[in-house]
Amino acid sequence: MESVRKYLSLVFIFVIFQPTLFAIDSDAMKEGKKAFSKKAYGEAIKKFTKHADSHPQDGEAYMYLGYIYEYKKDYPKSIQNFRRAADLDLDKDQRKTVLLKLALFFNYHQDWNLSATYSSRYLKYDPKNEEVQKIYNRAVGNKGNPSSSQSYSHPTKVETKPTEQKPSEVKKDSVKKQEDVSDDSEATKPSEHYEQLLANQPNLEDVRWDYVLALFEEKKYDKAETNLKILIEKNPSRSRYHYKLGIVKLRQDDPKSAIESFERAKKNPFSKDTNVFLYYVYLNEGIAFQKLAELDKAETSFQQAYKQLQKDPPLLALARLYEQKSDWENCISYSDKALSLNPNQIESHMFRFVCMFEAGKRTKKFETSFAKYAEFIDSKFPDLKQTPEKYQMGFIKLARRYTETNAFDKAESYFSVLEKDPTRSESREFLFYRGRNYFYSGKFDLAISILQKVTGSSSGYYLLARCYSKKGDISKTKEQFKLAADLKPEYWTSDSLEKDFKDIWKDSSFKEFIQTKAGTATSQIQP
């Protein structure tokens, strides 16, 4: 590698200070080169930019801009300009220098797709360059394997994020979806491109692998599976093939087969950055076990993933798992840990809010997570029906919280979304708390229609009694109160009776009903 860098420096000197045969020397270009030679980089940037604007097919100005930003250590702009130059008109020596810089850069940062692309292009001009051939071979060998990151750091000269994306768009080690936690983020061509290549040369393993990645991106999972099996038959020890087949099986909703593929991938893990590879394998394996309701095995897999890399996705997965098991304390604990690594991870806030709600812990953390979760939903999804399902699991708790704070219309907007899902809208929690929201918002008839569906609940019967009290229906009030008190006798002597039933409290028959516990005790009312 060091020899390549020395070679690159020599070529750079030659290219910069030798006149180019096909250069377009506009006045702006001449002035830019003059400013560049004097290291007047601000002026040079203006002139080269002017030349580029008027000569959009000429890559030389972009090449110079790449060097200037490299000197200024603005590496994102440097790589951006080198990439533009590589795709425009340059003479042979300039193009070789630019392609070599890009191949070295992406090789250093393990962006195998771009490393392979630029080293391959370089080898067309200098096929005997052994160092670049090594770069190409390494890139092709690693394409499709999880790499440690696509976030670039600074080695010596050319370094940092090279793409034309904004830094926020660069993918890091995070989970985009609960399913398929993978970082196969390579830019692939349409699958039809690879089909044409394979039609003439079916034994090209690397091309078939790229074909699989393209099929996966296009969600053609059956075809991806077929071609992965061809690859596995030819090379059964290749871990990345088994790993990707596991991901495909997850997408096909076949978690049992996915686990089998992940187990095979673990037997011969990727030799470079093994911990990164196993991190993704264990993380997806945990998801597969969770789909099979094998929660203890899922827990072990997520914990193993965290041992490989201390990232927040396994912690979030564990919080999700413990919420599913109604283990509120562990859910809160792992949500806390996930938030310590990623303070703005909304799902972690959602799980902490939900589990603290269940555990009755109304601390500052509870209020913080409620605010973060609620603000996210409000800002991102004005139409609540458009909210992704993964964010809806906390809707019932948001609705309850809004009822508690007298935001009744806000609460009802969440209940309205939940009523579309029979598994949620028929639950006792939904029915009781929606009835409660109607009651406190003064909609007693609606509250009654909902609460009548709640059976075997002392709180439900008691709230129904209060609804009928508001309507002045003493008979129905007594009926529902007795049902509540049969399940919870302390209602007969509750200190809040006069407040809760103030609308009919002056009625002597109701007072006697309470005093005699529906005729089962001696009345204490004085004649």
Side-chain angles (χ1 to χ4, degrees):
M1 180 61 66
E2 184 60 31
S3 61
V4 175
R5 294 185 183 278
K6 291 179 180 178
Y7 170 77
L8 179 59
S9 298
L10 291 173
V11 174
F12 162 67
I13 293 171
F14 176 79
V15 171
I16 288 297
F17 295 105
Q18 290 297 320
T20 56
L21 184 61
F22 302 106
I24 303 173
D25 279 332
S26 67
D27 290 341
M29 175 62 80
K30 291 176 182 177
E31 293 171 5
K33 289 180 179 179
K34 185 176 180 179
F36 179 85
S37 66
K38 295 179 179 180
K39 297 185 179 181
Y41 295 138
E43 180 65 20
I45 289 173
K46 292 179 182 179
K47 297 301 181 181
F48 288 134
T49 301
K50 182 178 180 180
H51 175 87
D53 289 341
S54 58
H55 299 83
Q57 292 304 312
D58 185 16
E60 188 177 16
Y62 290 112
M63 180 190 71
Y64 276 100
L65 288 169
Y67 286 122
I68 291 172
Y69 285 117
E70 184 180 345
Y71 290 144
K72 293 167 68 69
K73 297 186 178 182
D74 189 340
Y75 301 109
K77 287 186 178 179
S78 174
I79 291 300
Q80 178 182 335
N81 280 284
F82 281 134
R83 292 185 72 183
R84 286 179 178 173
D87 293 331
L88 299 173
D89 294 336
L90 292 171
D91 69 25
K92 181 179 177 180
D93 288 329
Q94 290 175 331
R95 189 173 302 280
K96 284 175 62 179
T97 304
V98 169
L99 292 173
L100 185 54
K101 275 186 169 289
L102 292 168
L104 282 168
F105 176 84
F106 291 114
N107 173 69
Y108 182 90
H109 292 293
Q110 300 181 14
D111 188 329
W112 308 126
N113 192 63
L114 291 175
S115 178
T117 296
Y118 288 112
S119 57
S120 175
R121 289 175 64 180
Y122 178 89
L123 289 170
K124 291 178 181 178
Y125 296 95
D126 188 3
K128 295 182 180 180
N129 190 305
E130 294 181 1
E131 293 292 340
V132 179
Q133 186 65 54
K134 289 179 182 178
I135 291 174
Y136 174 76
N137 292 341
R138 183 187 185 211
V140 170
N142 286 321
K143 283 171 66 178
N145 279 306
S147 60
S148 58
S149 178
Q150 291 294 330
S151 181
Y152 305 119
S153 58
H154 296 189
T156 53
K157 277 280 184 182
V158 187
E159 48 275 335
T160 83
K161 301 169 186 173
T163 68
E164 296 181 17
Q165 295 173 304
K166 297 177 182 178
S168 61
E169 295 171 340
V170 179
K171 184 177 179 184
K172 299 181 180 179
D173 290 317
S174 61
V175 184
K176 282 187 173 182
K177 300 177 181 178
Q178 182 179 356
E179 296 182 18
D180 181 23
V181 185
S182 169
D183 71 343
D184 286 328
S185 57
E186 303 168 3
T188 56
K189 296 180 180 179
S191 60
E192 291 80 6
H193 169 79
Y194 302 106
E195 287 173 356
Q196 294 173 5
L197 295 175
L198 291 170
N200 298 320
Q201 302 181 74
N203 295 321
L204 292 177
E205 186 174 346
D206 292 332
V207 174
R208 190 172 296 279
W209 174 244
D210 286 337
Y211 181 42
V212 166
L213 298 180
L215 291 169
F216 187 86
E217 289 298 316
E218 295 167 10
K219 300 182 180 180
K220 298 175 181 178
Y221 303 124
D222 291 342
K223 280 189 175 182
E225 178 186 1
T226 299
N227 283 273
L228 278 168
K229 288 181 177 178
I230 293 172
L231 290 170
I232 289 171
E233 184 177 355
K234 291 183 176 181
N235 197 340
S237 63
R238 202 69 178 269
S239 56
R240 67 181 182 182
Y241 298 159
H242 294 291
Y243 168 76
K244 196 64 176 181
L245 182 58
I247 299 299
V248 168
K249 287 297 183 181
L250 266 182
R251 286 297 184 92
Q252 293 174 324
D253 200 23
D254 186 359
K256 185 176 181 181
S257 295
I259 291 167
E260 292 173 358
S261 290
F262 294 141
E263 286 298 321
R264 294 188 187 101
K266 285 190 289 185
K267 289 179 181 178
N268 186 34
F270 183 44
S271 59
K272 179 174 172 53
D273 293 331
T274 301
N275 62 319
V276 178
F277 179 78
L278 290 176
Y279 167 83
Y280 284 101
V281 174
Y282 279 120
L283 199 53
N284 283 284
E285 182 183 67
I287 292 168
F289 278 126
Q290 195 166 9
K291 282 178 168 288
L292 292 171
E294 296 185 35
L295 301 187
D296 290 340
K297 291 182 179 179
E299 180 180 1
T300 299
S301 294
F302 291 140
Q303 290 172 342
Q304 285 294 325
Y306 186 70
K307 285 182 180 179
Q308 304 302 320
L309 284 180
Q310 283 67 59
K311 301 288 187 180
D312 63 289
L315 300 175
L316 172 58
L318 285 164
R320 182 186 295 111
L321 181 74
Y322 289 125
E323 189 279 332
Q324 186 177 347
K325 295 171 70 173
S326 299
D327 186 343
W328 314 129
E329 294 301 327
N330 268 323
C331 177
I332 295 167
S333 174
Y334 278 95
S335 297
D336 278 341
K337 291 177 182 178
L339 289 168
S340 70
L341 297 177
N342 190 351
N344 295 315
Q345 219 294 330
I346 295 301
E347 282 185 88
S348 296
H349 279 296
M350 177 181 72
F351 282 110
R352 188 168 74 175
F353 163 67
V354 167
C355 291
M356 293 188 83
F357 204 122
E358 292 285 3
K361 294 187 174 182
R362 305 303 178 90
T363 64
K364 185 177 180 180
K365 287 181 178 179
F366 170 83
E367 296 296 343
T368 298
S369 286
F370 163 69
K372 288 277 189 181
Y373 178 33
E375 181 183 2
F376 173 80
I377 299 297
D378 286 344
S379 62
K380 298 293 184 182
F381 309 104
D383 181 358
L384 291 178
K385 296 177 183 178
Q386 302 302 316
T387 309
E389 186 176 353
K390 67 178 180 179
Y391 294 120
Q392 291 188 23
M393 67 83 55
F395 272 18
I396 185 68
K397 299 300 187 293
L398 285 177
R400 289 175 59 179
R401 182 61 175 162
Y402 284 125
T403 298
E404 291 176 353
T405 57
N406 298 327
F408 305 121
D409 290 341
K410 187 80 169 177
E412 176 56 24
S413 66
Y414 282 91
F415 284 123
S416 296
V417 173
L418 294 171
E419 74 178 352
K420 307 299 181 182
D421 182 354
T423 60
R424 294 174 176 174
S425 61
E426 295 174 5
S427 69
R428 179 181 292 190
E429 182 182 22
F430 174 86
L431 293 171
F432 175 79
Y433 285 102
R434 192 179 197 185
R436 190 169 182 266
N437 189 64
Y438 282 141
F439 172 81
Y440 282 108
S441 59
K443 300 174 181 178
F444 306 121
D445 288 333
L446 287 173
I448 290 170
S449 67
I450 291 290
L451 292 170
Q452 284 175 334
K453 299 176 183 179
V454 181
T455 59
S457 168
S458 60
S459 298
Y461 294 138
Y462 188 83
L463 191 54
L464 260 176
R466 294 182 66 189
C467 288
Y468 285 119
S469 172
K470 291 289 185 181
K471 292 175 66 67
D473 190 331
I474 296 177
S475 175
K476 288 287 188 180
T477 301
K478 292 178 181 179
E479 175 187 310
Q480 295 301 318
F481 189 97
K482 186 176 185 305
L483 288 172
D486 286 346
L487 294 173
K488 189 176 179 180
E490 50 264 43
Y491 278 135
W492 292 113
T493 56
S494 172
D495 291 336
S496 64
L497 286 175
E498 183 174 353
K499 176 184 176 183
D500 290 344
F501 297 94
K502 64 179 181 179
D503 298 282
I504 60 170
W505 188 250
K506 296 180 180 180
D507 186 279
S508 59
S509 67
F510 183 73
K511 283 187 177 181
E512 183 177 0
F513 168 80
I514 295 296
Q515 289 285 336
T516 64
K517 297 182 180 178
T520 62
T522 304
S523 175
Q524 301 298 317
I525 299 177
Q526 298 297 322

